[in-house]
Amino acid sequence: MAKGEGAESGSAAGLLPTGILQAGERPVQVKKESKKKNQLSICNKLCYAVGGAPYQVTGCALGFFLQIYLLDVAQVDPFSASIILFVGRAWDAITDPLVGFCISKSPWTRLGRLMPWIIFSTPLAIIAYFLIWFVPDFQQGQTLWYLLFYCLFETLVTCFHVPYSALTMFISTEQSERDSATAYRMTVEVLGTVLGTAIQGQIVGQAHTPCVQDANASTVALEGANRTQSATSLRETQNAYLLAAGVIASIYVICAVILTLGVREQREPYETQQAKPMPFFRGIRLVMSHGPYIKLIAGFLFTSLAFMLVEGNFALFCTYTLGFRNEFQNLLLAIMFSATVTIPIWQWFLTQFGKKMAVYIGISSAVPFLILVALMESNLIVTYVVAVAAGISVAAAFLLPWSMLPDVIDDFHLKQPHIHGTEPIFFSFYVFFTKFASGVSLGISTLSLDFTGYQTRGCSQPAPVKFTLKMLVTMAPIVLILIGLLLFKLYPIDEEKRRQNKKALQALREEASSSGCSDTDSTELARIL
């Protein structure tokens, strides 16, 4: 009898899955399998990182060059240019939560929930981008032309960038893997700004935009004997902008293809157990009531605004206040190259000393150099030194917001474990606030130039214009940075809190995975019996 019972038991053991008989070992096995599954290869991280380049390449070209292009190449008057810049950025800000809403309603497909947005927006975006840099033959409707295609491009690039930003949460569930992928992404994005600056600056820099020696008599000069020569030179400059736009559009397409082929979305284990996604407006209420998120975006709102003021007015500042008309594109390259080199250093710093410490050290390091620019006389060598040093702070400003947002989302998931699908809301509203503030800053700065007497295509500008540009690039950013750093004192997620959240989230995922495996094993056991 004993022998028969043993034989029957052995036969059943041969039929049943090993995991059912070794239930005590399941948590360890699930943990190992989950960790292995969520590890990203270098190839995966690089493909993910390359996807951030299109937004930065086009954004850098528009941010640094659109203002001076509208004023001196398209010859739009300063007031109309301020309307284009403000409305374009404001519309860009509004589209972020709208796209986030549409994404939250999107179903999961074979390609994922986010990838279809990236794929289908790309071809339309590059057409709209190219037309921004095209000067139409008619003068009457130029403002409407640029406003239309600027808003259209910003809408389409938002359809690319919002899902791409939210993709951070779906490439891996491991904090360390996401942080590492974010560092790769920030490095490539800064390289994208270098590339955008190099392409736009060097191609456009080869064509010298004609200027009027006597700015107060610009109309008379244009109607004089040199009108034909000036028009020919202006046409060459316009063609140079079109050539740069074509090259950047090609890079946009290549990066989108690499991202699509090299990255796959992953769903959270506990998310797949939910019956339906949460309503979007309820998600907004929950997200906007999450304290750490509000404090984080408030701090970065002011610091981002500071760097956007510098970005938007840097070309005019170098051209007219410092007198480096033919050097500003090289100064931009120095800033962005320095930022690219220091991104890995900041990634090491935040892992060693914490993200809040990296914020304080990294962003505040720009203040002494901005003060130096405000006080010094025009000196090309000193300006290059300041540009290289400023790039160090730019790198921190690039890396830290996107490295800290996932920590806030993890904290939210712990407090609301049954809520999912809010990731696009977190990312889109952060971008919304920064873009809207950027639109306000660019609109106000361009109007300030109009009020102080900016002369379109002038070889020089009146003293009030030069002083205004200096304040917009130095003192105003300093004040904004200091306000932002004070707000960061209120941000509650330090390194100890991050470690606690990581352990709690890991336990939640293991519980969800174990529950899913147990259900599967019970079904298998019933089928076999």
Side-chain angles (χ1 to χ4, degrees):
M1 178 68 69
K3 184 177 179 180
E5 289 177 352
E8 185 178 6
S9 176
S11 177
L15 291 172
L16 296 180
T18 305
I20 298 176
L21 299 178
Q22 297 175 343
E25 299 177 6
R26 179 168 304 284
V28 177
Q29 181 181 356
V30 169
K31 184 174 181 179
K32 289 181 179 179
E33 291 178 355
S34 175
K35 186 173 182 180
K36 183 177 180 181
K37 179 181 178 181
N38 290 300
Q39 285 181 342
L40 299 174
S41 66
I42 293 178
C43 181
N44 292 141
K45 294 176 184 178
L46 287 174
C47 290
Y48 166 73
V50 165
Y55 182 78
Q56 295 301 332
V57 173
T58 55
C60 180
L62 290 169
F64 281 119
F65 292 92
L66 184 59
Q67 185 184 47
I68 195 171
Y69 166 80
L70 292 174
L71 293 173
D72 288 355
V73 179
Q75 300 182 44
V76 178
D77 64 272
F79 179 78
S80 298
S82 68
I83 296 298
I84 294 169
L85 293 171
F86 169 71
V87 174
R89 289 293 182 99
W91 173 251
D92 186 22
I94 293 171
T95 57
D96 284 286
L98 291 177
V99 171
F101 169 77
C102 295
I103 292 174
S104 69
K105 297 297 183 182
S106 300
W108 279 85
T109 67
R110 185 172 59 86
L111 298 174
R113 187 172 63 183
L114 305 175
M115 280 299 182
W117 288 84
I118 294 172
I119 294 170
F120 293 113
S121 65
T122 296
L124 299 175
I126 61 173
I127 295 173
Y129 178 79
F130 186 80
L131 292 175
I132 291 174
W133 303 103
F134 177 77
V135 180
D137 293 333
F138 50 85
Q139 294 289 330
Q140 190 66 29
Q142 271 196 342
T143 300
L144 182 60
W145 172 279
Y146 290 114
L147 187 59
L148 173 64
F149 287 108
Y150 188 29
C151 291
L152 180 59
F153 171 74
E154 294 294 355
T155 302
L156 293 167
V157 80
T158 297
C159 292
F160 182 102
H161 190 62
V162 168
Y164 172 73
S165 299
L167 191 61
T168 306
M169 302 302 298
F170 295 97
I171 57 175
S172 177
T173 58
E174 289 289 328
Q175 278 188 0
S176 59
E177 291 297 305
R178 292 202 306 256
D179 286 345
S180 177
T182 300
Y184 276 80
R185 171 190 169 186
M186 292 300 109
T187 303
V188 172
E189 287 195 359
V190 177
L191 281 172
T193 63
V194 174
L195 195 60
T197 303
I199 293 171
Q200 191 83 10
Q202 298 303 317
I203 293 178
V204 171
Q206 300 301 316
H208 299 288
T209 304
C211 63
V212 179
Q213 295 293 338
D214 185 2
N216 293 322
S218 58
T219 304
V220 176
L222 283 173
E223 294 175 351
N226 295 328
R227 182 174 181 178
T228 302
Q229 181 180 359
S230 177
T232 302
S233 180
L234 184 61
R235 175 57 62 183
E236 292 177 355
T237 303
Q238 293 171 356
N239 291 336
Y241 274 96
L242 285 177
L243 176 60
V247 175
I248 289 176
S250 301
I251 295 172
Y252 193 117
V253 174
I254 294 171
C255 293
V257 170
I258 294 174
L259 172 66
T260 304
L261 297 178
V263 176
R264 176 170 294 184
E265 295 179 54
Q266 298 181 26
R267 300 184 73 172
E268 287 278 12
Y270 55 80
E271 180 183 340
T272 58
Q273 298 176 4
Q274 306 299 320
K276 60 180 181 178
M278 178 182 26
F280 180 74
F281 292 103
R282 185 188 170 206
I284 292 178
R285 289 194 297 270
L286 288 173
V287 167
M288 299 309 295
S289 63
H290 189 55
Y293 180 65
I294 297 299
K295 293 167 185 174
L296 182 71
I297 62 173
F300 277 121
L301 176 65
F302 285 93
T303 56
S304 299
L305 185 55
F307 288 101
M308 288 175 184
L309 268 178
V310 176
E311 176 188 77
N313 295 281
F314 188 79
L316 292 174
F317 174 71
C318 290
T319 301
Y320 296 116
T321 302
L322 298 181
F324 303 141
R325 176 178 290 272
N326 298 321
E327 290 290 336
F328 77 88
Q329 64 267 24
N330 298 324
L331 288 167
L332 288 176
L333 276 177
I335 293 174
M336 296 307 172
F337 181 78
S338 172
T340 304
V341 172
T342 51
I343 281 280
I345 298 175
W346 284 118
Q347 174 64 19
W348 170 84
F349 187 93
L350 66 86
T351 57
Q352 296 296 317
F353 302 100
K355 296 180 182 181
K356 288 187 71 173
M357 182 62 68
V359 167
Y360 296 137
I361 301 297
I363 295 180
S364 64
S365 64
V367 173
F369 301 107
L370 292 175
I371 294 175
L372 180 60
V373 171
L375 298 178
M376 74 176 186
E377 296 295 330
S378 178
N379 185 296
L380 185 59
I381 296 177
V382 174
T383 303
Y384 269 105
V385 173
V386 171
V388 171
I392 300 173
S393 185
V394 170
F398 261 92
L399 175 64
L400 291 168
W402 302 110
S403 180
M404 298 172 77
L405 268 174
D407 299 335
V408 172
I409 297 174
D410 285 343
D411 186 74
F412 177 83
H413 283 161
L414 281 175
K415 294 178 180 178
Q416 305 286 346
H418 300 295
I419 303 300
H420 71 279
T422 56
E423 292 84 1
I425 301 176
F426 276 100
F427 285 97
S428 62
F429 268 89
Y430 166 71
V431 179
F432 165 78
F433 287 115
T434 55
K435 285 182 178 179
F436 188 81
S438 171
V440 172
S441 69
L442 278 177
I444 292 175
S445 62
T446 309
L447 277 178
S448 301
L449 298 178
D450 187 26
F451 293 150
T452 53
Y454 181 88
Q455 299 295 327
T456 300
R457 292 181 59 198
C459 291
S460 63
Q461 297 292 338
V465 174
K466 296 179 180 180
F467 178 78
T468 301
L469 287 169
K470 178 174 285 191
M471 293 299 101
L472 290 172
V473 173
T474 56
M475 299 311 299
I478 290 173
V479 173
L480 292 169
I481 286 174
L482 294 178
I483 294 173
L485 292 178
L486 288 175
L487 291 173
F488 276 119
K489 295 288 290 183
L490 304 175
Y491 180 66
I493 302 179
D494 53 14
E495 293 308 297
E496 180 61 28
K497 180 69 173 176
R498 285 184 66 236
R499 284 191 288 269
Q500 294 174 0
N501 287 351
K502 180 179 178 180
K503 292 179 180 178
L505 277 174
Q506 186 63 36
L508 180 64
R509 288 166 183 143
E510 290 173 7
E511 180 182 356
S513 299
S514 299
S515 175
C517 291
S518 297
D519 293 341
T520 301
D521 291 342
S522 298
T523 303
E524 179 71 9
L525 177 60
R527 185 184 67 80
I528 293 173
L529 292 177

